[in-house]
Amino acid sequence: MQRRMGEAVARVARRVNETVESQGDTLDLADCKLVAFPAGIYKAVRSVTQGIHRISLANNELKALGARFATTFSQLRELNLEGNLLHRLPQELGSLLHLRTINLARNKFRHFPEPLVAAPALESINLEGNEIAEVPTEALANMSSLRSLNLRANPVCPAVRLLVRPLVPFELLLSPEGNVPTA
């Protein structure tokens, strides 16, 4: 067990160092068995945070993301958090002025993550495979940049299905009614 933990820590350190040394725009920490975003990363990447536009934390075991994440990576354009254990997002995520795409598929959201409606440049939201039954239709309709919302494999209630279609000016992806999981 300790050996696997050591390997995971080494993998994270190697990926962070690659991003810092290359001054790349992508920080890929997918499949690193993370249960939290390591605080030491903030210090390690401080010289390149403004240049990081893409972060992948997919397929970890994250249960939460702190406010510091959004304030540190303020130039973020793409955020992949697919396949974690998240059930809420920090309010500060809504202040990411350049965030265009967020993937929150296969997490534990029971409610639509409200901070997303405040993100002004958000074009694509993937919430497939969560436990969301209701969505803030009016708030979503006011998101002028939103082009695609994926709510497949969520127990979206029938009333929302009827209400959403005429209100939203973007592509809405829902599971067929017979294939919707129940909460």
Side-chain angles (χ1 to χ4, degrees), residues 35-158:
V35 294
F37 191 80
I41 291 177
Y42 294 116
K43 187 174 182 181
V45 299
R46 71 173 175 251
S47 65
V48 295
T49 55
Q50 295 304 306
I52 295 177
H53 297 147
R54 289 176 204 84
I55 295 180
S56 178
L57 292 164
N59 303 315
N60 282 292
E61 298 172 21
L62 298 173
K63 292 180 181 165
L65 202 58
R68 186 175 180 190
F69 181 87
T71 56
T72 299
F73 299 105
S74 62
Q75 300 301 310
L76 207 54
R77 294 185 182 136
E78 296 176 24
L79 179 56
N80 186 352
L81 294 165
E82 179 178 3
N84 281 286
L85 303 171
L86 298 168
H87 60 92
R88 63 181 171 80
L89 295 174
Q91 289 291 46
E92 291 77 5
L93 215 58
S95 66
L96 292 175
L97 301 178
H98 308 286
L99 186 63
R100 290 191 207 125
T101 302
I102 189 162
N103 185 348
L104 297 165
R106 297 182 307 109
N107 274 282
K108 300 293 180 192
F109 290 96
R110 291 183 176 274
H111 305 285
F112 184 89
E114 292 287 335
L116 297 181
V117 299
L122 201 51
E123 297 173 359
S124 176
I125 303 171
N126 184 351
L127 283 161
E128 184 172 353
N130 280 279
E131 301 166 22
I132 299 169
E134 296 192 27
V135 294
T137 52
E138 288 183 34
L140 289 171
N142 291 326
M143 292 179 70
S144 59
S145 296
L146 192 59
R147 301 289 171 255
S148 175
L149 173 60
N150 184 348
L151 289 169
R152 287 184 181 131
N154 279 281
V156 177
C157 67

Side-chain angles (χ1 to χ4, degrees), residues 7-17 27 29 32 34 38 41:
E7 290 169 0
V9 169
R11 185 180 316 120
V12 168
R14 189 170 44 255
R15 290 181 182 183
V16 168
N17 286 338
L27 178 59
L29 298 177
C32 287
L34 297 173
I41 291 177

